[in-house]
């Protein structure tokens, strides 16, 4: 299952779909995918939000709310620990690679860390996230402002799901999964 890059994003799609439709099969797909990426955490060699440990940690944090499975928490802790241990002093702040972009670089990793503060309650991650803020923002933004505020309104979630559905439609999954996805999207929209 889910043998391509972008697994974490696809898992998040099904988590959102399960939450909006209350359909058990989507919850199971999200949990199965989360178990798959949890087993890969030790082997991941990139750190980015869209392709790497930061994205995997974010996805595991989101999906762990669907389950009492401690292995997801263990994998999340391992991913966070690897992110912290892999941070290198840069000028200025910390970096994980030579890129400062949102997709694979320091900006995206910092964003994931800020969200993980909210999800895990680990304030130490905020200190680690401040390093990327100093690298990626000329204004040296305070990442602590990002952990307050209301959750996304339902309309924004619906738009996100429709955009994710477009991406999921190109994934080569069994027809039954595609059919369930199409039906759920029609129900939500």
């Amino acid at each position: 299952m889910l043998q391509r890059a972008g697994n974490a994003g696809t898992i998040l799609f099904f988590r959102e779909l399960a939450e909006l439709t209350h359909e058990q099969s989507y919850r199971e797909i999200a949990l199965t995918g989360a178990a798959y990426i949890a087993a890969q955490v030790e082997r991941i060699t990139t750190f980015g939000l869209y392709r790497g440990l930061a994205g995997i940690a974010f996805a595991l944090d989101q999906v762990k709310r669907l389950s009492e499975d401690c292995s997801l928490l263990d994998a999340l802790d391992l991913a966070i620990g690897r992110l912290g241990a892999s941070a290198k002093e840069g000028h200025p702040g910390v970096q994980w690679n030579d890129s400062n972009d949102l997709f694979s670089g320091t900006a995206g990793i910092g964003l994931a860390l800020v969200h993980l503060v909210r999800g895990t309650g680990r304030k130490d991650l905020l200190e680690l996230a401040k390093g990327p803020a100093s690298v990626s923002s000329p204004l040296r933004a305070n990442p602590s402002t990002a952990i307050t505020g209301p959750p996304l309104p339902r309309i924004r979630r619906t738009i996100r799901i429709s955009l994710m559905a477009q991406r999921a439609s190109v994934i080569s999954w069994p027809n039954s999964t595609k059919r369930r996805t199409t039906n759920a999207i029609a129900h939500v929209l």
Side-chain angles (χ1 to χ4, degrees):
M1 167 173 189
L2 303 171
Q3 309 243 344
R4 296 181 174 203
N7 294 337
T10 305
I11 292 162
L12 289 171
F13 166 75
F14 279 103
R15 184 196 109 19
E16 292 280 336
L17 203 54
E19 187 176 298
L20 289 172
T21 64
H22 304 289
E23 177 66 40
Q24 186 68 21
S25 62
Y26 302 127
R27 179 183 177 276
E28 292 304 317
I29 291 170
L31 289 171
T32 301
Y36 173 79
I37 64 171
Q40 308 303 314
V41 167
E42 289 187 38
R43 288 179 267 200
I44 303 298
T45 58
T46 57
F47 302 103
L49 177 60
Y50 280 64
R51 186 178 213 144
L53 277 175
I56 288 173
F58 178 78
L60 289 173
D61 179 58
Q62 295 295 304
V63 175
K64 77 177 180 355
R65 298 175 184 135
L66 297 176
S67 173
E68 302 293 320
D69 185 356
C70 290
S71 69
L72 295 181
L73 289 173
D74 294 342
L76 175 59
D77 285 341
L78 179 60
I80 290 171
R82 288 195 59 212
L83 280 170
S86 299
K88 299 177 272 190
E89 285 298 318
H91 180 71
V94 297
Q95 294 176 285
W96 284 264
N97 55 34
D98 293 333
S99 174
N100 287 329
D101 68 31
L102 184 65
F103 296 101
S104 62
T106 299
I109 297 166
L111 180 62
L113 289 169
V114 169
H115 283 279
L116 288 167
V117 171
R118 180 188 284 173
T120 64
R122 289 185 51 183
K123 301 291 184 191
D124 61 309
L125 298 178
L126 194 55
E127 286 303 312
L128 189 56
K130 285 181 183 178
S134 66
V135 171
S136 59
S137 171
L139 301 176
R140 298 190 192 270
N142 181 358
S144 64
T145 60
I147 63 170
T148 61
L152 291 173
R154 184 170 280 262
I155 188 71
R156 284 183 59 202
R157 292 175 110 183
T158 303
I159 291 168
R160 274 194 347 230
I161 283 185
S162 66
L163 292 172
M164 288 188 284
Q166 292 171 5
R167 180 177 176 210
S169 67
V170 300
I171 296 173
S172 59
W173 286 353
N175 284 335
S176 61
T177 302
K178 285 183 183 177
R179 221 177 357 268
R180 286 194 315 255
T181 304
T182 304
N183 292 341
I185 292 165
H187 172 77
V188 170
L189 300 176

